[in-house]
Each structure stands twice: as C-alpha cells, then as structure tokens.
Amino acid sequence: MSQTSLKQKKKNETGSKNSKDSIDTEKRKDSDKSGVRLSTQGSQELSLPKTDSRGFLVRNQWSRTSQSPSTRGPSIDEPRSKSTSLKLPNSSTTSRTSSASPSQHESPEQLSEQASPPTPPLPSTPPMPLDTRPPTPPESHSSSRRSTRMHENPEAWAHGIVRDIRDSRESSQLRDYPRTPPTEWKSYSQRRSTYSSQLDRDCLSELPQPPRQHQREEEEDEEEAYWASVKTLYEKIPSCSRPRPPKPKNAITIAVSSRALFNMMDGRKIYEEEGLEKYMEYQLNNENVILTPGPAFRFVKALQHVNARLRELYPNEQDLFDIVLMTNNHAQVGVRLINSVNHYGLLIDRFCLTGGKSPIGYLKAYLTNLYLSADSEKVQEAIQEGIASATMFDGAKDMAYCDTQLRVAFDGDAVLFSDESEHIAKEYGLDKFFQHETLFENKPLAQGPLKGFLEDLGRLQKKFYAKDERLLCPIRTYLVTARSAASSGARVLKTLRRWGLEIDEALFLAGAPKGPILVKIRPHIFFDDHMFHIEGAQKLGTISAHVPYGINQK
C-alpha cells in the first residue's frame, strides 16, 4: 500500500475520534441538565438514583410516620425532579459500565458526573397524599457499596457516619413541621360543649344499657333488700344476749343428770323393757318433743336467778354457779336435750354425754362441787370418790316455789356434819348421846359431805351483804335437824360459828316429822341422810335429795 493511502487512513481515524469526543462532551452537558444518567453502548440505559452519604435513596416523598434525615424529602411546594425514574441495566451493560469506570468502587457523587445520552422523560404520576406515602427503604446495591467502603477505609467510613449523624440532628432541630391534633384528642367537656345539653340527655336516655350493668344493678338491689329484711327481723326479735359461762376454776360447778333435770320416765321404761336400740330409736323419733321438768329443774332455775343478781352487782364476777348436764345417754339423744334446755331458757352450756358409761370419772375433771342424779348407784359411787352427791326425788304434790330466792334446806348429822353422833346414838342410845354432846359442846364436829356446798352459798351471801343487800339476798339457807336444842343444839351452832358459816334459819325438831316444816319453808331442795325423812317430805310435795352417807346407810 502507498504512503498516500496510509496518511489518508490516519486522517480519517483522527476525524472520527474527534467527532466521538465532541459527542461525549455534548452527552455530559445533557446529563448535567437532566439528572444523573449513565450511557452504555447497548440499546438499554441505566439511570441511577440519587443517594445520600450513607447510601439511602433520596426521593421526593415524605412520610409523616418517620422524620429520619435519610427519608425526609424536600418541601411539597417544590417541583418533583424528573431524574427520579430509574431503568435497571442488564448484565452485559453492567459489566461494560464497571470496566469503563476509572475505579471499581466509586461514590455516588462520582457516578453522577458520568455522561449519558438524553432520554425522553417518563410521564409524571400524580403526587400521593402525605399520609399514605410509605417510607423509602434502602436499595440492596447501596448496602453492598457501604460494606465495601467500610472494609477498604474504615476510618473515613466512621468519620462519615459521625458527620451524617451530626447533620441529621441539626436538620431535625431546624426543621419542625407543624401538626394539627385530630378531633378525637379533644376532651369530653370540649366536645360536649358543641352540642345541646338537652339533646345529649335525650340521646343518652335512648341508648340501651349494657346487660352487665343491668345485672349488677339488679344484684345490688336484691342484696340491699335482703339485708333490709334481715335488719327488720332482728329489730323485731327481743334482745336475748346470752352471758358467757364462768371459768371452771372460779365457778361453783353443779353437775345434774338428764333424769334429774327432766322427766324421762317414759324413755326409761322403754330402755328397761325393750333394750337400748329401741330406747335410742324412741329418742331420735321424739327429739323435737320437749321434755317435762324433773326434780332438779326448779333448783337449777333458782341458781340462774342468783347468777343474774350477782352480775347486776358485779358485772365482771366469775364466782358464779355453772350448770353442767352430766348423763350416760348416747350423743344422739343430745339433740332432744339441747332442744329442751333452749326451750326453757336454761343457761346450760357444758354437756357430758358418755354413751352408756358411768360419768363419775368426769366429775373431778369438771371440778364438780355438787352432783345431783336420779341414779342412787352413781350417787353412791360419787360419794366414795369424795364428791358431794345426792339422789333426787320429786314431790308427790305440786307446790309453789319462790322464783326470786334460792332456798336450800340441810339436815345436820351425816349431811353438814360427820356421822360421829349417829354412831353413839345407835350403839349407846339417846341418853349417852345427850351426855356426849354436852361433854364435847366446845369441840367442833367433823365436816360432812355437804359442808363445802354450804360454804359456797355462804361466800356468795357475803357478796350481797357487802352491797347492803342482806334483806334482799337471793340465797337463804335452813338447818332442819331432829336434834334437841337444849341438850345437843349448842354444839351444832358453835361448830358453824367455828367454820365461819352463817345459817339463816335453824330448826331443831327434837325427833318430830320434818315434812310439815318443809311445806312451810318450800325449799328448792332438801338434803337428808334418812330415807324416812325423805319419804315424808316427798309425800307433802317437797323436792328432796338423799345423801347416802354415814352409818344409817348400812
């Protein structure tokens, strides 16, 4: 080939190269006007989004739910840029673009300076409402670029992060968007003031009440009505305050059997003729049938009257009579006994139901001062245990008794005193007996089984005497003896004086019957060791108690 042709060929290449450079210069100018674009040699184009220093997209959108600098855009009054539309490149274009770039890791600012051929703008979409615009998430390629920058130059990356945080704080302090609270945030009084009060009441009255509220109101009304009825009931019932029983160590304990307190002859007959099972069946079938009073019933009522008088004078008094129901009946019979006790208003709180076994073993445990029973064998057993006891016998006739005074009559020998004089009278006759009593007039007699009970009565009497209640004392004691006052009465009175006891009335009968005198006295209980005196008093209607003690019992 000639030199001329070679020179011509070089000239043509130089011209084409200059034309290409001029075209590239024009492309860069167009890219500066239209936005950030990258041109490729293929038919497709890549339009990169504009990002901030941390690699997040910057779009002309603003979400009210986020105020982060990375997602905050310009004001809504500014026109939206046309360079926000992006076209994703294909694989060949990306490879050629990366190879044509001077550095493999370029910042978004350097990429924005690369030229790209002008492209027709896409049709603009209408702006979305502010409340419905979602926040713009970061693109995947931006995070990959940030991680690459962090590994290559960590110091510069850290300084950039600090600078971005400082800028975001300053911009958040400077820019403050006013917000109008919604109408639901207004208080109830502010919202209610806009409506008429009458209209508000009408609307509220027409609204249906919740079922739970209705149910709660009905339950409250029912509860108030119930307690009102209970209050009315208790107001109509008279006051029945029940005093507490005294402590056993301070009280005068009187143990009474069920047959002594109530008349249980019908049940006793069934027990003796048909056996225990029929007896229990009979008591269960008749547990609501009130038992009739027994021989010790009036005596127990009189003891309760003394307690009431003592509580009036001494409200905190503990030295009182305490009645204990002591019986060998089965516990199933206890319901009928309780019903009968409550029916008559007896203040008996302590029960002892032994179920067929002898209750004598419980007398000392109850600190018994006096035991009254209808069973002579149990009384004899208690006497041998050193407990004052007596067998009760009801009067054959009805007799009126004093309800305001406890009256107790005692025989002398083998009851209040020992049976020493009885031995002399039995062995040597009455003459030797009178001589013996005159000789030992100043020697006190030994005590008998009922001496302790007389001491208890005398101690309570002194409490009334201290309140100047001697004439109105609710306790009165009697000595009813067959002794003669002239021949043997002095020793008896001196013995009582030596014991420190006062007897209200002393009746020396010199062997005369005691029945007529007892009718005049009308005691609640009369203690004697001779059965013929008990029978004589019983015929005339006096409630008697036999004391099985002394030589006369042999």
Side-chain angles (χ1 to χ4, degrees):
M1 184 179 293
S2 62
Q3 293 180 353
T4 304
S5 62
L6 291 173
K7 290 179 180 180
Q8 187 66 30
K9 187 174 181 181
K10 289 180 180 180
K11 184 187 258 187
N12 294 336
E13 291 177 355
T14 303
S16 62
K17 186 176 182 182
N18 292 334
S19 63
K20 288 181 179 180
D21 294 338
S22 62
I23 291 171
D24 292 339
T25 303
E26 292 177 358
K27 288 181 178 181
R28 277 198 301 273
K29 292 179 179 180
D30 295 338
S31 65
D32 294 338
K33 296 179 180 179
S34 60
V36 183
R37 296 177 184 273
L38 283 178
S39 62
T40 58
Q41 296 180 5
S43 59
Q44 297 182 351
E45 294 181 356
L46 174 63
S47 177
L48 293 177
K50 187 175 181 181
T51 60
D52 57 6
S53 60
R54 291 181 293 175
F56 291 94
L57 281 174
V58 178
R59 298 178 63 182
N60 290 335
Q61 296 178 358
W62 175 67
S63 173
R64 295 182 64 179
T65 60
S66 175
Q67 294 185 1
S68 175
S70 61
T71 60
R72 185 183 296 115
S75 176
I76 58 176
D77 296 331
E78 298 177 5
R80 300 185 62 184
S81 174
K82 298 178 181 180
S83 61
T84 56
S85 60
L86 301 177
K87 292 183 179 181
L88 297 177
N90 56 15
S91 60
S92 61
T93 306
T94 306
S95 63
R96 284 195 296 272
T97 304
S98 61
S99 61
S101 62
S103 176
Q104 184 178 2
H105 306 285
E106 291 182 346
S107 63
E109 289 79 359
Q110 295 173 351
L111 291 176
S112 64
E113 295 177 1
Q114 296 181 4
S116 61
T119 56
L122 295 176
S124 62
T125 60
M128 299 174 64
L130 294 179
D131 292 343
T132 58
R133 295 177 183 176
T136 305
E139 299 290 337
S140 59
H141 62 273
S142 300
S143 60
S144 63
R145 290 176 184 174
R146 281 192 299 162
S147 60
T148 307
R149 289 174 60 192
M150 179 179 66
H151 288 293
E152 286 187 354
N153 194 356
E155 294 182 0
W157 176 82
H159 285 296
I161 291 297
V162 173
R163 184 174 59 256
D164 293 341
I165 293 173
R166 188 183 299 109
D167 295 342
S168 65
R169 288 179 179 176
E170 293 177 357
S171 61
S172 62
Q173 293 177 359
L174 293 176
R175 300 186 66 181
D176 188 12
Y177 298 96
R179 293 187 179 183
T180 303
T183 57
E184 289 77 10
W185 291 357
K186 292 182 179 180
S187 64
Y188 174 74
S189 59
Q190 293 175 349
R191 288 186 282 116
R192 184 176 179 180
S193 62
T194 58
Y195 300 98
S196 172
S197 58
Q198 183 63 33
L199 179 62
D200 194 9
R201 286 196 297 268
D202 295 341
C203 294
L204 291 176
S205 61
E206 293 177 0
L207 290 176
Q209 294 287 342
R212 292 183 179 178
Q213 185 175 358
H214 274 300
Q215 184 177 2
R216 191 181 303 110
E217 291 177 356
E218 292 178 357
E219 291 178 355
E220 292 176 356
D221 294 341
E222 291 178 358
E223 185 175 0
E224 291 179 359
Y226 168 74
W227 286 113
S229 62
V230 171
K231 182 180 179 181
T232 305
L233 176 63
Y234 278 100
E235 287 177 353
K236 293 181 178 179
I237 296 177
S239 177
C240 54
S241 58
R242 189 183 187 92
R244 293 185 178 181
K247 295 180 180 180
K249 63 180 181 180
N250 300 324
I252 303 171
T253 304
I254 310 297
V256 182
S257 69
S258 58
R259 285 200 296 154
L261 184 60
F262 299 111
N263 184 3
M264 303 183 68
M265 295 302 297
D266 52 351
R268 182 69 181 180
K269 185 177 180 180
I270 294 175
Y271 172 73
E272 293 176 353
E273 294 179 358
E274 301 183 19
L276 178 60
E277 295 300 327
K278 290 293 183 180
Y279 169 78
M280 291 182 58
E281 182 181 354
Y282 170 79
Q283 297 293 351
L284 289 174
N285 294 334
N286 294 274
E287 65 181 12
N288 293 323
V289 178
I290 303 302
L291 295 168
T292 57
F297 182 85
R298 293 178 179 89
F299 174 69
V300 171
K301 291 286 287 186
L303 295 177
Q304 290 187 180
H305 177 71
V306 175
N307 286 347
R309 289 289 307 277
L310 283 172
R311 287 191 175 101
E312 291 176 1
L313 298 177
Y314 305 93
N316 298 324
E317 182 62 45
Q318 290 289 322
D319 194 2
L320 304 170
F321 293 109
D322 185 20
I323 313 301
V324 177
L325 185 61
M326 189 81 61
T327 176
N328 61 348
N329 272 294
H330 197 273
Q332 296 295 334
V333 187
V335 177
R336 188 179 186 185
L337 295 175
I338 292 173
N339 293 337
S340 301
V341 166
N342 293 333
H343 173 76
Y344 293 110
L346 301 178
L347 300 179
I348 301 177
D349 296 298
R350 294 184 173 94
F351 277 46
C352 181
L353 306 169
T354 61
K357 294 184 178 180
S358 176
I360 304 304
Y362 291 98
L363 292 176
K364 290 184 178 180
Y366 277 85
L367 304 178
T368 303
N369 297 86
L370 177 64
Y371 174 58
L372 302 176
S373 175
D375 191 341
S376 58
E377 294 181 359
K378 292 184 176 61
V379 170
Q380 184 67 43
E381 185 179 352
I383 288 288
Q384 293 175 359
E385 294 292 330
I387 299 173
S389 305
T391 306
M392 297 295 299
F393 294 93
D394 202 353
K397 297 180 180 181
D398 292 336
M399 184 183 298
Y401 291 88
C402 182
D403 296 332
T404 60
Q405 191 177 56
L406 172 64
R407 298 178 181 181
V408 182
F410 297 92
D411 181 28
D413 295 310
V415 175
L416 289 179
F417 314 115
S418 66
D419 60 344
E420 172 188 348
S421 299
E422 295 284 346
H423 278 281
I424 296 175
K426 288 286 183 182
E427 292 181 5
Y428 303 103
L430 290 176
D431 293 338
K432 292 291 182 180
F433 167 74
F434 294 142
Q435 294 177 3
H436 178 269
E437 293 301 305
T438 304
L439 183 63
F440 295 97
E441 179 180 335
N442 295 323
K443 181 182 179 181
L445 293 165
Q447 67 178 13
L450 269 297
K451 183 249 186 179
F453 182 58
L454 179 61
E455 288 179 342
D456 296 332
L457 295 178
R459 185 174 65 254
L460 296 183
Q461 282 180 318
K462 292 179 181 179
K463 293 181 181 293
F464 291 97
Y465 299 163
K467 295 291 183 176
D468 197 15
E469 295 279 340
R470 178 179 288 269
L471 297 179
L472 299 176
C473 181
I475 301 174
R476 194 163 185 84
T477 55
Y478 300 85
L479 174 63
V480 182
T481 177
R483 284 177 176 253
S484 172
S487 58
S488 59
R491 189 180 185 187
V492 170
L493 296 178
K494 289 182 178 180
T495 301
L496 294 175
R497 186 185 302 169
R498 183 70 61 90
W499 288 349
L501 298 178
E502 294 183 11
I503 199 79
D504 292 313
E505 297 186 23
L507 303 173
F508 295 91
L509 301 181
K514 297 180 180 180
I517 302 297
L518 294 174
V519 171
K520 181 62 178 179
I521 296 173
R522 296 185 180 181
H524 293 92
I525 191 170
F526 166 63
F527 296 97
D528 201 299
D529 64 315
H530 286 277
M531 277 303 299
F532 68 91
H533 290 306
I534 296 293
E535 293 173 354
Q538 183 184 7
K539 290 178 181 179
L540 298 177
T542 302
I543 298 174
S544 305
H546 178 245
V547 180
Y549 176 76
I551 192 173
N552 293 324
Q553 311 304 321
K554 296 179 181 179

